[in-house]
Amino acid sequence: MEQFEVNLVGENLTIILIAEGTYSVYRGNTFVADLTAKFGESGVTWYAEGITPEYAKQIGELIEEHDM
């Protein structure tokens, strides 16, 4: 599984690809959420249970930057 780190406003997060378009997000050893990308006409929308849509979007944008 691909694993990488991102930094969101001073917060280090570990991102692990678990399936095409789905990532597990961890803060240290603490599970944050499974983040899923939905592709549509207007671009990518990121979804996750247990975190706000804005937080999911911010993490998703960092994942997109990493994948470029």
Side-chain angles (χ1 to χ4, degrees), residues 28-44:
N29 291 326
T30 304
F31 175 76
V32 175
D34 284 334
L35 201 61
T36 302
K38 302 288 183 182
F39 301 91
E41 291 180 14
S42 61
V44 179

Side-chain angles (χ1 to χ4, degrees), residues 2 4 7 9 12-13 18 20-26 28 31 35 39 41-43 45 47 49-50 60 64 67:
E2 180 186 354
F4 57 94
N7 186 294
V9 192
N12 291 322
L13 301 171
I18 57 174
E20 183 67 32
T22 302
Y23 300 83
S24 285
V25 180
Y26 289 85
F31 175 76
L35 201 61
F39 301 91
E41 291 180 14
S42 61
T45 304
Y47 295 94
E49 290 186 24
E64 290 176 53
D67 289 345

